[in-house]
């Protein structure tokens, strides 16, 4: 018996019609097919990979309604606005609606006027919504930001834990789809278990965001470093993440005082004010937001060109989520982390306070904090460090991070490392890194003298070095795996088998020192790390020239390097036209067109609807709604660029010309 091959709806035509793309991105076809087959799915895909398309296209062809569980009102508004622009009937049900508006939207939903409805997880438990849901034909439930079901996300939205119970209570269990950008092995297991996914299709397309440039800096003055960065990126849209509400307020005010328009966003700001601030940012009325982690999850603003971290976050999961809000349109963007010595202690305090009744979770969160700390101090490729944390194989070098583009010098620290090894082995019990630093320096603190640790043979072995130099040595040995740190609140340090082997075999131990751009010009410069061996400075000056040339050659320009001055000028005009259309339509500019689409228009300079329709991101609705305005902008620009004598023939496609003989 021959099994008839299943026929699928025209999903590729839908992709072109509604989204303006000719082909799917990696992972999208497999997930769409699984959902159309009625199978649960878990998609772990990087920001900008097109997760929403994976459930929106099946929703178009499914007979009933798709519910999308989304964490933030702003995300719902963005997604619904873009769907309606593409003429896919969609709505959101959340607290931003008045009682009358909510009742009307719910009534329309009951009449099957919408294919996709966005709701917050808290909405699922309300009697009015439950009554609607039990009567409606719900074909699919899509869970966005699905990592929120895991323990590290529950503090943000604990109601994510109620989703599986809600689905099970419906007359017919819908197909379940879960999506997230970042999930380690334990988080993935939590999603599968807590959402009760049935034999799901699991697809991980990778975590890499090639368009993002990563950098880590430890400036003496963080605020000056931020201002220096902003001066080099005028008018660009960016987010500055801070650890605390107080930092957020202070940074926003200082930036305004320095001439950089910025507003503060955190959970303590009244909800009406927060909504207004977010709208101002979405509509490009203000370019900068200083925010805590309360801002940004699920934000679909595609033209964020940079994310700056004013302090080290508490985990790589949190960092990559926040940094990932840059460059969602696929164009180059930058993620810069500024950190200082106080960041670790602040994070540790926050973690201990939030987990005082949960020792197991405290241990896990401290372990994540340690890896975040290691990221800030590693000399390896930053992108590879992140990807390996999420168990993704890497080449070890990306040529698009501050470590890969820097010039390094190997420093022999064998003598200092041997002193550290001897001290740790001599201690009567393990101690933390700060105690080791004080012992090596020869400090006579009360804890040291009362325990008679000042009587040890290794006490003061590195007393000729300053504390910063010893700290850098210990950090380097931890990063290179010669020392390990416990994951409990004490974080005691111990030697590893690799350190045992190196000492036993009398191996040379080296650590890498990054040559600094400004300090290297001064031949008296010796970093605290270098003072462990006091190397000759003379090779540094020529090495600096190599580093500058390497950066200029390899580092991508975050301001969209166009090929000609004419393309730059046209891109500026297109952005002006987009802003005008945005204000006329009451939509954020990036909903009208993302930056990447305008960039392609500027490069290709289409003159006909046919040519414009070939640009990625130009679907049928965008072509009809904005095609005339865009084409007129291009034509007027070319006319101004030339002698102003363009005729109708200049706007014909090749098919319009008669090339036959007379």
């Amino acid at each position: 018996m021959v099994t008839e091959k299943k026929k699928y709806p025209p999903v590729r035509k839908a992709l072109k019609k509604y989204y303006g793309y000719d082909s799917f991105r990696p992972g999208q076809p497999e997930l769409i097919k699984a959902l159309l087959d009625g199978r649960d799915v878990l998609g772990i895909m990087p920001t900008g990979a097109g997760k929403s398309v994976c459930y929106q296209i099946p929703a178009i062809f499914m007979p009933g309604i798709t519910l999308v569980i989304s964490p933030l009102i702003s995300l719902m508004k963005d997604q619904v606005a873009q769907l309606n622009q593409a003429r896919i009937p969609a709505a959101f049900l959340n607290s931003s609606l008045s009682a009358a508006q909510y009742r009307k939207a719910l009534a329309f939903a009951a009449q099957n006027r919408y294919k996709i409805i966005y709701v917050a997880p808290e909405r699922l438990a309300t009697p009015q919504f439950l009554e609607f849901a039990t009567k409606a034909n719900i074909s699919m439930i899509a869970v966005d930001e699905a990592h929120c079901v895991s323990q590290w996300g529950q503090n943000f939205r604990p109601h994510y834990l109620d989703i599986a119970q809600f689905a099970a209570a419906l007359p017919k269990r819908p197909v379940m789809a879960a999506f997230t950008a970042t999930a380690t092995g334990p988080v993935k297991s939590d999603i599968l278990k807590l959402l009760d996914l049935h034999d799901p299709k699991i697809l991980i397309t990778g975590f890499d965001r090639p368009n993002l440039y990563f950098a880590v800096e430890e400036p003496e003055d963080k605020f000056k470093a931020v201002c220096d960065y902003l001066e080099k990126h005028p008018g660009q849209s960016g987010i500055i993440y801070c650890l605390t509400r107080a930092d957020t307020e202070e940074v926003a005010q200082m930036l305004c005082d320095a001439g950089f328009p910025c507003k503060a966003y955190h959970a303590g700001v009244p909800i009406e004010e927060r909504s207004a601030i977010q709208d101002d940012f979405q509509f490009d009325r203000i370019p900068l937001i200083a925010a805590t982690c309360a801002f940004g999850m699920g934000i679909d603003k595609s033209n964020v060109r940079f994310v700056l971290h004013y302090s080290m976050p508490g985990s790589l999961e949190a960092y990559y989520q926040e940094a990932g809000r840059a460059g969602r349109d696929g164009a180059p963007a930058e993620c810069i982390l500024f950190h200082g010595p106080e960041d670790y202690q602040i994070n540790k305090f926050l973690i201990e306070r939030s987990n005082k009744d949960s020792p197991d979770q405290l241990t896990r969160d401290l372990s994540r904090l340690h890896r975040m700390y290691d990221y800030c101090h590693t000399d390896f490729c930053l992108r590879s460090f992140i990807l390996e944390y999420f168990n993704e194989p890497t080449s070890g070098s990306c040529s698009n991070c501050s470590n890969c583009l820097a010039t390094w010098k190997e420093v022999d620290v064998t003598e200092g490392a041997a002193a550290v090894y001897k001290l740790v082995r001599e201690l009567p019990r393990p101690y933390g890194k700060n105690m080791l630093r004080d012992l090596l320096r020869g400090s006579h603190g009360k804890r040291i003298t009362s325990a008679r640790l000042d009587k040890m043979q290794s006490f003061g072995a590195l007393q000729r070095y300053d504390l910063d130099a010893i700290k850098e040595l210990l950090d380097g040995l931890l990063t290179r795996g010669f020392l390990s740190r416990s994951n409990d609140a004490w974080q005691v340090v111990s030697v590893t088998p690799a350190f045992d082997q190196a000492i036993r075999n009398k191996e040379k131990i080296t650590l890498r020192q990054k040559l600094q751009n400004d300090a290297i010009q001064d031949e008296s410069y010796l970093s605290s790390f270098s003072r462990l061996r006091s190397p000759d400075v003379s090779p540094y000056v020529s090495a600096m020239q190599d580093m500058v040339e390497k950066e200029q050659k390899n580092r991508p320009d975050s301001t969209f390097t166009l090929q000609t001055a004419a393309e730059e000028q046209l891109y500026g005009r297109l952005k002006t036209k987009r802003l005008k259309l945005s204000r006329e339509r009451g939509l954020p500019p990036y909903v009208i067109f993302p930056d990447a689409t305008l960039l392609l228009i500027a490069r290709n300079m289409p003159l006909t609807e046919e040519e414009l329709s070939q640009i990625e991101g130009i679907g049928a609705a965008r072509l009809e709604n904005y095609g005339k305005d865009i084409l007129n902008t291009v034509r007027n620009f070319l006319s101004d660029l030339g002698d102003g004598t363009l005729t109708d023939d200049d706007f014909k496609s090749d098919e319009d010309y008669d090339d036959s003989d007379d």
Side-chain angles (χ1 to χ4, degrees):
M1 181 177 178
V2 179
T3 303
E4 184 178 351
K5 186 177 180 180
K6 180 174 180 177
K7 293 183 179 179
Y8 290 93
V11 293
R12 192 175 294 275
K13 288 183 178 179
L15 181 71
K16 180 63 177 176
K17 176 181 177 181
Y18 295 113
Y19 302 91
Y21 293 96
D22 294 311
S23 59
F24 287 103
R25 296 177 183 176
Q28 289 178 333
E30 295 90 335
L31 293 173
I32 290 171
K33 179 179 180 295
L35 289 171
L36 290 172
D37 285 338
R39 187 177 175 186
D40 290 356
V41 306
L42 169 58
I44 302 175
M45 310 165 74
T47 302
K51 294 185 288 291
S52 58
V53 169
C54 295
Y55 60 79
Q56 288 174 359
I57 283 186
I60 294 169
F61 296 105
M62 286 181 172
I65 297 169
T66 289
L67 288 183
V68 181
I69 315 298
S70 184
L72 293 178
I73 290 174
S74 58
L75 174 61
M76 300 182 203
K77 289 181 176 179
D78 283 350
Q79 292 283 344
V80 169
Q82 293 186 57
L83 287 168
N84 287 327
Q85 280 283 296
R87 297 179 184 170
I88 300 173
F92 56 80
L93 300 172
N94 58 44
S95 59
S96 71
L97 301 176
S98 67
Q101 289 173 326
Y102 184 82
R103 285 194 298 270
K104 185 176 181 179
L106 208 57
F108 284 170
Q111 297 168 17
N112 294 318
R113 294 197 186 187
Y114 307 123
K115 291 300 296 180
I116 302 175
I117 299 175
Y118 284 76
V119 297
E122 293 82 2
R123 186 69 46 182
L124 304 181
T126 62
Q128 194 174 12
F129 186 81
L130 282 170
E131 182 181 359
F132 154 75
T134 54
K135 296 177 181 178
N137 179 17
I138 299 175
S139 301
M140 176 169 55
I141 295 176
V143 183
D144 203 4
E145 307 291 352
H147 59 269
C148 288
V149 304
S150 184
Q151 180 64 47
W152 78 269
Q154 287 173 25
N155 291 335
F156 177 63
R157 297 307 276 271
H159 284 85
Y160 266 78
L161 295 176
D162 301 330
I163 295 173
Q165 183 179 355
F166 168 81
L170 296 176
K172 181 182 178 182
R173 180 186 181 276
V175 177
M176 299 287 290
F179 296 92
T180 184
T182 52
T184 57
V187 173
K188 183 181 77 170
S189 299
D190 284 347
I191 293 171
L192 294 172
K193 177 183 177 182
L194 297 173
L195 287 180
D196 191 26
L197 300 184
H198 295 182
D199 185 30
K201 167 72 175 180
I202 301 173
L203 191 140
I204 303 174
T205 61
F207 297 96
D208 192 14
R209 299 278 306 284
N211 63 311
L212 298 185
Y213 167 80
F214 291 96
V216 173
E217 299 179 20
E218 189 174 4
E220 291 185 7
D221 186 335
K222 285 184 183 179
F223 182 72
K224 183 180 183 301
V226 170
C227 289
D228 289 345
Y229 182 90
L230 296 179
E231 286 177 358
K232 297 174 184 176
H233 299 80
Q236 292 188 0
S237 184
I239 304 171
I240 303 161
Y241 279 106
C242 304
L243 268 184
T244 66
R245 298 180 186 184
D247 285 347
T248 300
E249 296 281 356
E250 182 180 13
V251 168
Q253 186 59 57
M254 289 194 302
L255 286 176
C256 287
D257 293 343
F260 301 105
C262 180
K263 292 190 177 180
Y265 186 106
H266 55 75
V269 176
I271 188 168
E272 298 83 3
E273 187 178 347
R274 265 186 296 169
S275 179
I277 291 171
Q278 192 151 301
D279 281 346
D280 285 344
F281 185 64
Q282 301 283 76
F283 281 83
D284 288 346
R285 292 189 285 265
I286 56 170
L288 302 173
I289 288 283
T292 61
C293 60
F295 178 79
M297 182 172 287
I299 291 299
D300 202 24
K301 181 176 169 65
S302 65
N303 64 334
V304 174
R305 298 267 63 86
F306 60 83
V307 169
L308 308 182
H309 277 79
Y310 199 71
S311 302
M312 179 185 75
S315 70
L316 273 169
E317 290 93 340
Y319 175 68
Y320 204 46
Q321 278 281 342
E322 292 163 7
R325 279 141 207 167
R328 293 177 65 103
D329 55 7
E334 297 191 338
C335 309
I336 317 295
L337 195 165
F338 301 109
H339 71 100
E342 72 283 356
D343 293 349
Y344 181 87
Q345 293 302 325
I346 294 173
N347 274 294
K348 182 172 177 288
F349 168 77
L350 295 173
I351 288 171
E352 289 173 345
R353 186 178 65 177
S354 63
N355 292 295
K356 57 185 178 182
D357 298 323
S358 179
D360 290 342
Q361 189 59 37
L362 174 64
T363 298
R364 286 191 289 269
D365 286 351
L366 287 174
S367 176
R368 294 186 180 109
L369 176 60
H370 296 161
R371 293 302 288 158
M372 187 72 243
Y373 182 91
D374 291 342
Y375 173 81
C376 292
H377 294 86
T378 186
D379 56 358
F380 296 122
C381 169
L382 296 175
R383 186 185 311 277
S384 295
F385 192 102
I386 294 171
L387 296 179
E388 288 175 6
Y389 179 78
F390 292 109
N391 297 316
E392 183 169 329
T394 72
S395 64
S397 177
C398 71
S399 299
N400 193 23
C401 77
S402 59
N403 280 359
C404 284
L405 294 176
T407 298
W408 297 84
K409 181 177 180 63
E410 291 287 336
V411 179
D412 183 351
V413 296
T414 306
E415 179 185 341
V420 172
Y421 180 88
K422 185 176 180 181
L423 172 73
V424 176
R425 284 301 191 196
E426 190 181 351
L427 284 168
R429 68 172 180 84
Y431 283 92
K433 187 179 69 175
N434 289 342
M435 176 64 89
L436 297 185
R437 185 187 64 183
D438 291 341
L439 289 169
L440 290 164
R441 184 75 170 93
S443 302
H444 288 83
K446 184 176 180 180
R447 287 182 62 202
I448 292 175
T449 56
S450 62
R452 299 182 61 80
L453 298 178
D454 56 330
K455 306 302 181 184
M456 293 192 310
Q457 185 179 0
S458 300
F459 177 75
L462 298 180
Q463 59 183 327
R464 64 189 184 278
Y465 306 123
D466 62 33
L467 288 176
D468 286 340
I470 299 172
K471 173 182 174 295
E472 289 184 49
L473 173 63
L474 293 171
D475 285 339
L477 294 173
L478 282 163
T479 301
R480 287 296 179 93
F482 289 111
L483 296 175
S484 63
R485 182 172 40 201
S486 67
N487 287 326
D488 53 25
W490 302 103
Q491 304 145 60
V492 297
V493 174
S494 57
V495 301
T496 65
F499 209 177
D500 285 329
Q501 180 178 337
I503 295 297
R504 185 169 55 249
N505 296 337
K506 298 182 179 180
E507 297 175 8
K508 177 181 176 181
I509 298 176
T510 63
L511 299 177
R512 296 204 305 165
Q513 178 205 2
K514 184 185 294 185
L515 303 187
Q516 301 297 328
N517 208 0
D518 51 354
I520 209 63
Q521 305 297 337
D522 179 3
E523 291 199 6
S524 66
Y525 166 75
L526 284 175
S527 75
S528 58
F529 184 77
S530 298
R531 284 195 291 274
L532 291 168
R533 289 292 295 173
S534 298
D536 179 24
V537 186
S538 57
Y540 286 15
V541 176
S542 60
M544 175 51 55
Q545 295 300 322
D546 294 339
M547 182 176 76
V548 172
E549 291 175 6
K550 185 178 180 182
E551 286 190 355
Q552 291 174 343
K553 181 179 179 181
N554 294 332
R555 183 173 173 180
D557 187 350
S558 66
T559 57
F560 304 153
T561 302
L562 291 162
Q563 296 176 359
T564 66
E567 292 176 2
E568 292 274 9
Q569 294 168 19
L570 176 55
Y571 181 66
R573 285 204 190 184
L574 290 168
K575 290 182 73 174
T576 300
K577 172 58 72 173
R578 178 180 66 177
L579 184 60
K580 183 174 182 294
L581 292 170
S582 164
R583 290 169 176 170
E584 290 174 352
R585 306 295 176 97
L587 295 168
Y590 58 86
V591 172
I592 304 292
F593 287 108
D595 282 357
T597 301
L598 290 189
L599 182 65
L600 290 173
I601 295 171
R603 286 176 174 170
N604 291 277
M605 299 185 183
L607 294 174
T608 67
E609 283 195 0
E610 174 62 26
E611 291 174 354
L612 184 60
S613 69
Q614 299 306 309
I615 301 291
E616 282 196 354
I618 306 290
R622 273 194 176 127
L623 187 64
E624 182 175 340
N625 291 336
Y626 312 116
K628 183 177 179 181
D629 292 291
I630 293 300
L631 290 173
N632 283 340
T633 300
V634 176
R635 292 169 181 174
N636 291 338
F637 171 77
L638 292 175
S639 181
D640 293 344
L641 195 64
D643 58 8
T645 57
L646 293 179
T647 67
D648 288 343
D649 285 343
D650 292 302
F651 307 131
K652 290 181 179 179
S653 63
D654 293 340
E655 291 78 7
D656 292 330
Y657 288 96
D658 183 2
D659 292 328
S660 61
D661 293 336
D662 292 338

